[in-house]
Amino acid sequence: MRTVVHLVRHGEVHNPEGILYGRLPGYGLSERGREQARRVAEHLGGADVTALLVSPMQRAQETAVPIAEKLGLEVVTEERLIEAANAFEGQLVSVGDGALRRPEYWPLLRNPFRPSWGEPYLEIAHRMLGAAHRARALAAGHEAVCVSHQLPIWTLRRYLAGDRLWHNPAKRQCALGSVTSLVFDEESLVDIAYAEPSGTSTGTGA
């Protein structure tokens, strides 16, 4: 029995201050982000989707709205799809400015392989895998959509591919409004596909 779980990264966020917003409330989509969400909905419009699971964060919930409308589905909030926890939430973290220049934050950078500044990669992978298998079970024999965030999606993809979980963030293949598709035969993963219906090969934000 073939089941596909589509992991959708939310659209662009309105963040004029350029801070790392992480799990902070009040960060919704920009106009460009809403357009990206509409494009994802069009991309999935012909798919046999029977379940829609969404991170509780505002930007993910807003991304799910046109998908739910297009597919005629109810949004189910799935806590395990949430953004990764990060000690730098609310800070500027660009290279050369903000929190990274302040000595009191340097101990948080001691172990990039875990990472020491936030939720461990392995914990992210395990919770995301649990969410993906919930979606697979709900949509058995059909397709499911999970709306989440860049780091959780990319961490799960690396975990499933057997790659090391620590990585260069600049090399993530998980653009805004992208779709990473996990193809299952019964409970076994048999393929991973990737698409960018929003037409953006790059994109910042969580």
Side-chain angles (χ1 to χ4, degrees), residues 3-7 48-54 76 78 80-81 127-147 182 184 186:
T3 307
V4 182
V5 177
H6 303 287
L7 304 173
D48 181 25
V49 178
T50 59
L52 174 59
L53 281 63
V54 184
V76 176
E78 168 56 73
R80 289 173 292 186
L81 295 172
R127 67 170 169 84
M128 286 292 291
L129 184 60
H133 275 298
R134 180 191 180 192
R136 177 197 54 75
L138 289 173
H142 304 277
E143 301 178 46
V145 171
C146 295
V147 183
L182 310 179
F184 293 92
E186 297 293 347

Side-chain angles (χ1 to χ4, degrees), residues 41-174:
E42 289 298 323
H43 174 76
L44 296 169
D48 181 25
V49 178
T50 59
L52 174 59
L53 281 63
V54 184
S55 158
M57 303 310 302
Q58 179 180 337
R59 54 195 182 273
Q61 294 281 324
E62 290 180 359
T63 298
V65 169
I67 299 173
E69 293 175 348
K70 183 71 174 180
L71 300 174
L73 294 173
E74 177 183 354
V75 170
V76 176
T77 298
E78 168 56 73
E79 296 290 338
R80 289 173 292 186
L81 295 172
I82 197 169
E83 175 60 285
N86 193 306
F88 288 105
E89 283 179 2
Q91 303 288 331
L92 291 170
V93 293
S94 299
V95 176
D97 66 9
L100 299 182
R101 297 185 62 183
R102 295 164 60 181
E104 62 265 34
Y105 286 109
W106 292 349
L108 294 175
L109 305 175
R110 66 187 180 277
N111 184 1
F113 306 110
R114 186 175 185 265
S116 53
W117 57 81
E119 185 179 8
Y121 291 128
L122 190 58
E123 291 182 14
I124 297 171
H126 285 171
R127 67 170 169 84
M128 286 292 291
L129 184 60
H133 275 298
R134 180 191 180 192
R136 177 197 54 75
L138 289 173
H142 304 277
E143 301 178 46
V145 171
C146 295
V147 183
S148 187
H149 309 265
Q150 184 190 58
L151 179 55
I153 293 173
W154 184 242
T155 300
L156 177 59
R157 180 171 171 180
R158 293 185 68 85
Y159 179 81
L160 292 172
D163 297 330
R164 66 171 188 261
L165 299 186
W166 59 271
H167 58 278
N168 181 349
K171 295 185 177 181
R172 293 173 186 163
Q173 188 184 44
C174 190

